[in-house]
Amino acid sequence: MRGSSVAARSRPRQAPPTSVAPDIGPDLRGPAHLVRPADLASATVHHLPWNRADLLRWAVPTAVGAVLCIVAWAISSGQARESDQAGPLFLAIVALMVSGISHALWLLRGRRAVGERQRELCTEARLLRPRDRVAPPAAILQGAVAVLVTPGASFIHRFECTFVANRPVRHTSKAEATESGMMPCGVCKP
Amino acid sequence: MEIGKWLKLQWDRVAAWVCIGVGALALIVGWVGVSGAAYMANAMPYLISGGIGGMFLLGLGGMLWLSADLRDEWYKLDSLERSVNRQHEELLVAEDAR
């Protein structure tokens, strides 16, 4: 796994819940799994979906393929008979296949790394999900956004957002919150 | 955005278009060379350099383009993770304040 996960960094904070919760997995919810900012600061940062070994596994076959293509072309140009050119043609086709396979593997590795990270992030969001959801009054939902009652809160959310449901929030208008420098939540996108 | 900065950020997409362009050109040159050759022996070098070489470059260009898309997706996940972590910290502060 290339990303960092909340589950791996969690620590117990209080007794497990007794109330009935939505079906999101038995132990993956509530503040019992919150982690400390110090743990978050130590999270590993990965700049790309590929590592150095992946780069080598792509670059070497591609370079070999390119060289073989050039060699095949050079050999075939020096041959006058058609029968002597079958070998270089075969060599060039093999080189093309080798480089094509290395491209495909490179993309598959990247796709897999991105998929793994997406799943990790979804798990992290689930870990922060509260046990119970209390639906806010309909009047509040119309045009208003939620802000967590926390010193220094800097995000605005929809009321049904995972991050604020069942937590102390105040409501405000989106325009007002934006003017005061708050940013929209990346998950619920108010 | 300045063109130099854009080129630096999108080097793989630029390289992809260059490879695709050169690959297409190689295919055309190969086709012209093969159609003008009287014997198969004369056509074979064009087939290898223009045909197979062109396909090689087209493949490389396509791979670079898709690779750039994956990189963008990765950066998007980076920013989403930062956002999740910051909100997570806010939740912790709220939790401690209670």
Side-chain angles (χ1 to χ4, degrees):
Chain A
M1 301 287 250
R2 288 152 204 258
S4 56
S5 80
V6 169
R9 295 172 275 138
S10 65
R11 67 171 182 81
R13 283 170 60 86
Q14 62 185 51
T18 53
S19 56
V20 178
D23 185 23
I24 55 171
D27 298 321
L28 300 179
R29 60 176 82 96
H33 296 274
L34 294 181
V35 297
R36 307 307 302 175
D39 301 322
L40 295 171
S42 65
T44 315
V45 177
H46 299 281
H47 300 290
L48 285 172
W50 301 276
N51 56 29
R52 200 175 291 272
D54 292 335
L55 182 64
L56 272 179
R57 278 195 285 263
W58 167 77
V60 171
T62 303
V64 168
V67 170
L68 285 181
C69 268
I70 294 168
V71 168
W73 168 76
I75 295 172
S76 122
S77 305
Q79 301 295 331
R81 285 189 305 177
E82 196 180 313
S83 58
D84 294 335
Q85 290 176 328
L89 180 64
F90 179 73
L91 186 68
I93 290 170
V94 168
L96 188 66
M97 286 171 66
V98 166
S99 72
I101 289 169
S102 74
H103 295 340
L105 289 176
W106 169 265
L107 291 174
L108 283 173
R109 279 191 205 103
R111 185 68 257 168
R112 189 172 59 186
V114 168
E116 277 178 5
R117 190 148 182 233
Q118 279 172 345
R119 278 192 294 276
E120 270 182 23
L121 224 67
C122 285
T123 309
E124 288 193 20
R126 274 186 184 182
L127 288 171
L128 299 173
R129 193 168 171 174
R131 296 178 195 93
D132 301 307
R133 283 172 178 257
V134 180
I140 293 179
L141 282 175
Q142 288 176 352
V145 289
V147 176
L148 206 62
V149 181
T150 304
S154 53
F155 289 94
I156 53 174
H157 305 262
R158 292 175 189 272
F159 281 94
E160 64 271 26
C161 178
T162 293
F163 287 105
V164 296
N166 200 31
R167 297 194 182 277
V169 293
R170 63 184 170 85
H171 64 274
T172 179
S173 72
K174 188 175 179 181
E176 192 182 325
T178 311
E179 274 176 22
S180 62
M182 293 198 155
M183 291 175 291
C185 167
V187 174
C188 65
K189 295 186 172 63
Chain B
M1 189 186 291
E2 298 163 26
I3 188 87
K5 198 174 175 183
W6 184 84
L7 285 175
K8 197 176 174 185
L9 284 173
Q10 299 289 337
W11 66 269
D12 37 11
R13 285 200 169 88
V14 174
W17 276 116
V18 169
C19 284
I20 288 169
V22 175
L25 193 69
L27 281 177
I28 293 168
V29 169
W31 173 72
V32 170
V34 168
S35 44
Y39 301 101
M40 191 61 196
N42 293 340
M44 197 66 85
Y46 285 109
L47 194 67
I48 292 175
S49 63
I52 294 178
M55 282 197 287
F56 180 92
L57 287 171
L58 285 178
L60 187 62
M63 191 282 296
L64 282 170
W65 186 266
L66 293 173
S67 181
D69 285 350
L70 283 174
R71 184 207 57 191
D72 287 352
E73 208 171 330
W74 190 260
Y75 287 166
K76 183 77 183 167
L77 287 172
D78 272 347
S79 66
L80 197 57
E81 186 171 357
R82 275 196 296 274
S83 168
V84 165
N85 285 346
R86 281 185 62 185
Q87 291 176 71
H88 198 175
E89 287 178 38
E90 286 179 8
L91 282 179
L92 279 170
V93 174
E95 193 73 16
D96 289 340
R98 275 204 291 185

mmCIF file of all heavy atoms in Angstrom, chain A residues 88-108:
data_model
loop_
_atom_site.group_PDB
_atom_site.id
_atom_site.type_symbol
_atom_site.label_atom_id
_atom_site.label_comp_id
_atom_site.label_asym_id
_atom_site.label_seq_id
_atom_site.Cartn_x
_atom_site.Cartn_y
_atom_site.Cartn_z
ATOM 1 N N PRO A 88 15.414 -9.805 -39.599
ATOM 2 C CA PRO A 88 15.267 -8.463 -39.031
ATOM 3 C C PRO A 88 13.809 -8.044 -38.832
ATOM 4 O O PRO A 88 13.479 -7.387 -37.838
ATOM 5 C CB PRO A 88 15.947 -7.569 -40.082
ATOM 6 C CG PRO A 88 16.909 -8.442 -40.765
ATOM 7 C CD PRO A 88 16.315 -9.812 -40.753
ATOM 8 N N LEU A 89 12.937 -8.443 -39.755
ATOM 9 C CA LEU A 89 11.514 -8.095 -39.603
ATOM 10 C C LEU A 89 10.946 -8.751 -38.352
ATOM 11 O O LEU A 89 10.245 -8.104 -37.558
ATOM 12 C CB LEU A 89 10.735 -8.546 -40.845
ATOM 13 C CG LEU A 89 9.233 -8.233 -40.817
ATOM 14 C CD1 LEU A 89 9.003 -6.729 -40.806
ATOM 15 C CD2 LEU A 89 8.519 -8.860 -42.002
ATOM 16 N N PHE A 90 11.289 -10.025 -38.181
ATOM 17 C CA PHE A 90 10.827 -10.750 -36.988
ATOM 18 C C PHE A 90 11.363 -10.071 -35.730
ATOM 19 O O PHE A 90 10.638 -9.887 -34.738
ATOM 20 C CB PHE A 90 11.298 -12.203 -37.081
ATOM 21 C CG PHE A 90 10.899 -13.025 -35.900
ATOM 22 C CD1 PHE A 90 9.581 -13.423 -35.717
ATOM 23 C CD2 PHE A 90 11.844 -13.409 -34.958
ATOM 24 C CE1 PHE A 90 9.210 -14.184 -34.614
ATOM 25 C CE2 PHE A 90 11.478 -14.166 -33.853
ATOM 26 C CZ PHE A 90 10.169 -14.554 -33.686
ATOM 27 N N LEU A 91 12.641 -9.674 -35.775
ATOM 28 C CA LEU A 91 13.274 -9.000 -34.627
ATOM 29 C C LEU A 91 12.532 -7.705 -34.282
ATOM 30 O O LEU A 91 12.266 -7.412 -33.105
ATOM 31 C CB LEU A 91 14.732 -8.697 -34.974
ATOM 32 C CG LEU A 91 15.593 -8.119 -33.854
ATOM 33 C CD1 LEU A 91 15.830 -9.148 -32.764
ATOM 34 C CD2 LEU A 91 16.941 -7.647 -34.405
ATOM 35 N N ALA A 92 12.185 -6.945 -35.308
ATOM 36 C CA ALA A 92 11.481 -5.670 -35.081
ATOM 37 C C ALA A 92 10.100 -5.908 -34.478
ATOM 38 O O ALA A 92 9.662 -5.165 -33.590
ATOM 39 C CB ALA A 92 11.362 -4.903 -36.397
ATOM 40 N N ILE A 93 9.431 -6.963 -34.955
ATOM 41 C CA ILE A 93 8.101 -7.260 -34.408
ATOM 42 C C ILE A 93 8.203 -7.664 -32.935
ATOM 43 O O ILE A 93 7.414 -7.217 -32.095
ATOM 44 C CB ILE A 93 7.407 -8.366 -35.247
ATOM 45 C CG1 ILE A 93 7.040 -7.795 -36.619
ATOM 46 C CG2 ILE A 93 6.160 -8.878 -34.556
ATOM 47 C CD1 ILE A 93 6.575 -8.833 -37.621
ATOM 48 N N VAL A 94 9.205 -8.470 -32.610
ATOM 49 C CA VAL A 94 9.414 -8.865 -31.208
ATOM 50 C C VAL A 94 9.703 -7.630 -30.352
ATOM 51 O O VAL A 94 9.167 -7.473 -29.251
ATOM 52 C CB VAL A 94 10.563 -9.893 -31.110
ATOM 53 C CG1 VAL A 94 10.993 -10.096 -29.661
ATOM 54 C CG2 VAL A 94 10.136 -11.222 -31.711
ATOM 55 N N ALA A 95 10.541 -6.724 -30.879
ATOM 56 C CA ALA A 95 10.875 -5.496 -30.139
ATOM 57 C C ALA A 95 9.620 -4.673 -29.876
ATOM 58 O O ALA A 95 9.424 -4.140 -28.776
ATOM 59 C CB ALA A 95 11.885 -4.675 -30.938
ATOM 60 N N LEU A 96 8.762 -4.592 -30.875
ATOM 61 C CA LEU A 96 7.508 -3.839 -30.722
ATOM 62 C C LEU A 96 6.628 -4.466 -29.650
ATOM 63 O O LEU A 96 6.044 -3.770 -28.819
ATOM 64 C CB LEU A 96 6.770 -3.813 -32.065
ATOM 65 C CG LEU A 96 5.538 -2.919 -32.146
ATOM 66 C CD1 LEU A 96 5.921 -1.456 -32.004
ATOM 67 C CD2 LEU A 96 4.811 -3.144 -33.466
ATOM 68 N N MET A 97 6.579 -5.799 -29.654
ATOM 69 C CA MET A 97 5.762 -6.485 -28.654
ATOM 70 C C MET A 97 6.319 -6.287 -27.247
ATOM 71 O O MET A 97 5.568 -6.055 -26.297
ATOM 72 C CB MET A 97 5.692 -7.987 -28.983
ATOM 73 C CG MET A 97 4.792 -8.283 -30.165
ATOM 74 S SD MET A 97 4.918 -9.981 -30.710
ATOM 75 C CE MET A 97 4.244 -10.845 -29.344
ATOM 76 N N VAL A 98 7.638 -6.367 -27.117
ATOM 77 C CA VAL A 98 8.268 -6.189 -25.797
ATOM 78 C C VAL A 98 7.956 -4.800 -25.241
ATOM 79 O O VAL A 98 7.544 -4.647 -24.079
ATOM 80 C CB VAL A 98 9.803 -6.395 -25.895
ATOM 81 C CG1 VAL A 98 10.505 -5.892 -24.649
ATOM 82 C CG2 VAL A 98 10.120 -7.868 -26.112
ATOM 83 N N SER A 99 8.116 -3.786 -26.090
ATOM 84 C CA SER A 99 7.854 -2.429 -25.592
ATOM 85 C C SER A 99 6.365 -2.246 -25.300
ATOM 86 O O SER A 99 5.994 -1.598 -24.321
ATOM 87 C CB SER A 99 8.348 -1.388 -26.586
ATOM 88 O OG SER A 99 7.514 -1.357 -27.706
ATOM 89 N N GLY A 100 5.510 -2.845 -26.135
ATOM 90 C CA GLY A 100 4.065 -2.729 -25.885
ATOM 91 C C GLY A 100 3.675 -3.362 -24.565
ATOM 92 O O GLY A 100 2.885 -2.788 -23.806
ATOM 93 N N ILE A 101 4.257 -4.527 -24.259
ATOM 94 C CA ILE A 101 3.945 -5.191 -22.984
ATOM 95 C C ILE A 101 4.432 -4.343 -21.810
ATOM 96 O O ILE A 101 3.740 -4.189 -20.804
ATOM 97 C CB ILE A 101 4.583 -6.604 -22.954
ATOM 98 C CG1 ILE A 101 3.823 -7.512 -23.923
ATOM 99 C CG2 ILE A 101 4.554 -7.194 -21.559
ATOM 100 C CD1 ILE A 101 4.503 -8.835 -24.190
ATOM 101 N N SER A 102 5.633 -3.742 -21.958
ATOM 102 C CA SER A 102 6.144 -2.915 -20.846
ATOM 103 C C SER A 102 5.257 -1.683 -20.637
ATOM 104 O O SER A 102 5.023 -1.267 -19.501
ATOM 105 C CB SER A 102 7.594 -2.503 -21.097
ATOM 106 O OG SER A 102 7.668 -1.500 -22.076
ATOM 107 N N HIS A 103 4.728 -1.094 -21.721
ATOM 108 C CA HIS A 103 3.792 0.038 -21.574
ATOM 109 C C HIS A 103 2.539 -0.403 -20.832
ATOM 110 O O HIS A 103 2.061 0.284 -19.924
ATOM 111 C CB HIS A 103 3.364 0.568 -22.946
ATOM 112 C CG HIS A 103 4.466 1.182 -23.749
ATOM 113 N ND1 HIS A 103 5.635 1.638 -23.190
ATOM 114 C CD2 HIS A 103 4.572 1.429 -25.067
ATOM 115 C CE1 HIS A 103 6.409 2.127 -24.143
ATOM 116 N NE2 HIS A 103 5.783 2.007 -25.284
ATOM 117 N N ALA A 104 2.014 -1.558 -21.249
ATOM 118 C CA ALA A 104 0.763 -2.035 -20.639
ATOM 119 C C ALA A 104 0.969 -2.299 -19.147
ATOM 120 O O ALA A 104 0.131 -1.919 -18.320
ATOM 121 C CB ALA A 104 0.297 -3.306 -21.338
ATOM 122 N N LEU A 105 2.111 -2.920 -18.791
ATOM 123 C CA LEU A 105 2.373 -3.213 -17.375
ATOM 124 C C LEU A 105 2.538 -1.924 -16.567
ATOM 125 O O LEU A 105 2.073 -1.822 -15.438
ATOM 126 C CB LEU A 105 3.631 -4.086 -17.240
ATOM 127 C CG LEU A 105 3.467 -5.526 -17.722
ATOM 128 C CD1 LEU A 105 4.797 -6.263 -17.628
ATOM 129 C CD2 LEU A 105 2.410 -6.255 -16.899
ATOM 130 N N TRP A 106 3.189 -0.940 -17.172
ATOM 131 C CA TRP A 106 3.382 0.364 -16.505
ATOM 132 C C TRP A 106 2.025 0.994 -16.175
ATOM 133 O O TRP A 106 1.781 1.451 -15.055
ATOM 134 C CB TRP A 106 4.179 1.263 -17.448
ATOM 135 C CG TRP A 106 4.267 2.707 -17.069
ATOM 136 C CD1 TRP A 106 3.456 3.708 -17.518
ATOM 137 C CD2 TRP A 106 5.203 3.329 -16.174
ATOM 138 N NE1 TRP A 106 3.838 4.906 -16.980
ATOM 139 C CE2 TRP A 106 4.912 4.701 -16.152
ATOM 140 C CE3 TRP A 106 6.266 2.852 -15.415
ATOM 141 C CZ2 TRP A 106 5.637 5.604 -15.390
ATOM 142 C CZ3 TRP A 106 6.994 3.766 -14.649
ATOM 143 C CH2 TRP A 106 6.678 5.112 -14.641
ATOM 144 N N LEU A 107 1.130 0.984 -17.171
ATOM 145 C CA LEU A 107 -0.182 1.584 -16.960
ATOM 146 C C LEU A 107 -1.001 0.771 -15.955
ATOM 147 O O LEU A 107 -1.711 1.349 -15.122
ATOM 148 C CB LEU A 107 -0.934 1.683 -18.291
ATOM 149 C CG LEU A 107 -0.350 2.697 -19.278
ATOM 150 C CD1 LEU A 107 -1.062 2.624 -20.615
ATOM 151 C CD2 LEU A 107 -0.431 4.117 -18.728
ATOM 152 N N LEU A 108 -0.882 -0.548 -16.012
ATOM 153 C CA LEU A 108 -1.633 -1.378 -15.063
ATOM 154 C C LEU A 108 -1.160 -1.141 -13.632
ATOM 155 O O LEU A 108 -1.965 -1.057 -12.709
ATOM 156 C CB LEU A 108 -1.475 -2.864 -15.417
ATOM 157 C CG LEU A 108 -2.318 -3.342 -16.600
ATOM 158 C CD1 LEU A 108 -1.955 -4.773 -16.952
ATOM 159 C CD2 LEU A 108 -3.799 -3.253 -16.266
#
